[in-house]
PDB file of all heavy atoms in Angstrom:
ATOM      1  N   ASP A  64     -30.619  29.156 -33.983  1.00  0.00           N
ATOM      2  CA  ASP A  64     -29.382  29.512 -34.674  1.00  0.00           C
ATOM      3  C   ASP A  64     -28.236  28.772 -34.021  1.00  0.00           C
ATOM      4  O   ASP A  64     -28.038  28.855 -32.804  1.00  0.00           O
ATOM      5  CB  ASP A  64     -29.183  31.028 -34.573  1.00  0.00           C
ATOM      6  CG  ASP A  64     -27.867  31.475 -35.196  1.00  0.00           C
ATOM      7  OD1 ASP A  64     -27.259  30.677 -35.935  1.00  0.00           O
ATOM      8  OD2 ASP A  64     -27.442  32.614 -34.921  1.00  0.00           O
ATOM      9  N   HIS A 151      -1.482   9.172 -38.130  1.00  0.00           N
ATOM     10  CA  HIS A 151      -0.427  10.020 -38.677  1.00  0.00           C
ATOM     11  C   HIS A 151      -1.002  11.216 -39.414  1.00  0.00           C
ATOM     12  O   HIS A 151      -0.301  12.220 -39.623  1.00  0.00           O
ATOM     13  CB  HIS A 151       0.456   9.217 -39.625  1.00  0.00           C
ATOM     14  CG  HIS A 151       1.181   8.093 -38.951  1.00  0.00           C
ATOM     15  ND1 HIS A 151       2.036   7.258 -39.629  1.00  0.00           N
ATOM     16  CD2 HIS A 151       1.176   7.663 -37.654  1.00  0.00           C
ATOM     17  CE1 HIS A 151       2.522   6.364 -38.786  1.00  0.00           C
ATOM     18  NE2 HIS A 151       2.002   6.582 -37.591  1.00  0.00           N
ATOM     19  N   CYS A 218       4.759   8.055 -19.894  1.00  0.00           N
ATOM     20  CA  CYS A 218       4.835   7.555 -21.265  1.00  0.00           C
ATOM     21  C   CYS A 218       5.758   6.341 -21.387  1.00  0.00           C
ATOM     22  O   CYS A 218       6.125   5.958 -22.497  1.00  0.00           O
ATOM     23  CB  CYS A 218       5.315   8.661 -22.209  1.00  0.00           C
ATOM     24  SG  CYS A 218       4.091   9.949 -22.509  1.00  0.00           S
ATOM     25  N   LEU A 342      17.901  14.203   5.758  1.00  0.00           N
ATOM     26  CA  LEU A 342      18.575  15.440   6.126  1.00  0.00           C
ATOM     27  C   LEU A 342      18.862  15.479   7.621  1.00  0.00           C
ATOM     28  O   LEU A 342      18.032  15.046   8.429  1.00  0.00           O
ATOM     29  CB  LEU A 342      17.715  16.641   5.734  1.00  0.00           C
ATOM     30  CG  LEU A 342      17.462  16.816   4.223  1.00  0.00           C
ATOM     31  CD1 LEU A 342      16.407  17.878   3.985  1.00  0.00           C
ATOM     32  CD2 LEU A 342      18.753  17.169   3.504  1.00  0.00           C
ATOM     33  N   SER A 386       6.896  17.475  11.014  1.00  0.00           N
ATOM     34  CA  SER A 386       6.550  16.211  11.658  1.00  0.00           C
ATOM     35  C   SER A 386       7.600  15.135  11.421  1.00  0.00           C
ATOM     36  O   SER A 386       8.354  15.173  10.447  1.00  0.00           O
ATOM     37  CB  SER A 386       5.186  15.721  11.159  1.00  0.00           C
ATOM     38  OG  SER A 386       5.196  15.542   9.758  1.00  0.00           O
ATOM     39  N   THR A 413       7.333  14.407  17.027  1.00  0.00           N
ATOM     40  CA  THR A 413       8.552  15.156  17.339  1.00  0.00           C
ATOM     41  C   THR A 413       8.672  15.247  18.859  1.00  0.00           C
ATOM     42  O   THR A 413       7.777  14.827  19.604  1.00  0.00           O
ATOM     43  CB  THR A 413       8.511  16.575  16.748  1.00  0.00           C
ATOM     44  OG1 THR A 413       7.470  17.315  17.387  1.00  0.00           O
ATOM     45  CG2 THR A 413       8.269  16.562  15.252  1.00  0.00           C
ATOM     46  N   LYS A 460      -1.685  10.806  21.678  1.00  0.00           N
ATOM     47  CA  LYS A 460      -0.412  10.686  22.416  1.00  0.00           C
ATOM     48  C   LYS A 460       0.238  12.063  22.621  1.00  0.00           C
ATOM     49  O   LYS A 460       1.437  12.242  22.421  1.00  0.00           O
ATOM     50  CB  LYS A 460       0.554   9.758  21.671  1.00  0.00           C
ATOM     51  CG  LYS A 460       0.044   8.344  21.519  1.00  0.00           C
ATOM     52  CD  LYS A 460       1.035   7.469  20.765  1.00  0.00           C
ATOM     53  CE  LYS A 460       0.487   6.057  20.583  1.00  0.00           C
ATOM     54  NZ  LYS A 460       1.421   5.197  19.819  1.00  0.00           N
ATOM     55  N   ASN A 580     -15.983  -6.814  26.559  1.00  0.00           N
ATOM     56  CA  ASN A 580     -16.954  -6.126  27.395  1.00  0.00           C
ATOM     57  C   ASN A 580     -17.641  -7.170  28.282  1.00  0.00           C
ATOM     58  O   ASN A 580     -17.117  -8.282  28.452  1.00  0.00           O
ATOM     59  CB  ASN A 580     -17.976  -5.378  26.530  1.00  0.00           C
ATOM     60  CG  ASN A 580     -17.453  -4.057  26.013  1.00  0.00           C
ATOM     61  OD1 ASN A 580     -17.376  -3.086  26.757  1.00  0.00           O
ATOM     62  ND2 ASN A 580     -17.076  -4.008  24.733  1.00  0.00           N
ATOM     63  N   PRO A 683      -9.070 -32.342   8.517  1.00  0.00           N
ATOM     64  CA  PRO A 683      -9.305 -32.567   7.088  1.00  0.00           C
ATOM     65  C   PRO A 683      -7.993 -32.754   6.318  1.00  0.00           C
ATOM     66  O   PRO A 683      -6.985 -32.097   6.607  1.00  0.00           O
ATOM     67  CB  PRO A 683     -10.043 -31.292   6.644  1.00  0.00           C
ATOM     68  CG  PRO A 683     -10.691 -30.781   7.886  1.00  0.00           C
ATOM     69  CD  PRO A 683      -9.765 -31.141   9.009  1.00  0.00           C
ATOM     70  N   CYS A 845      15.824 -40.205  22.512  1.00  0.00           N
ATOM     71  CA  CYS A 845      17.167 -40.079  23.061  1.00  0.00           C
ATOM     72  C   CYS A 845      18.001 -39.093  22.259  1.00  0.00           C
ATOM     73  O   CYS A 845      17.621 -38.667  21.174  1.00  0.00           O
ATOM     74  CB  CYS A 845      17.862 -41.441  23.089  1.00  0.00           C
ATOM     75  SG  CYS A 845      18.067 -42.197  21.442  1.00  0.00           S
TER      76      CYS A 845
END
Side-chain angles (χ1 to χ4, degrees):
D64 176 15
H151 297 181
C218 288
L342 296 170
S386 59
T413 65
K460 298 180 182 178
N580 280 284
C845 61

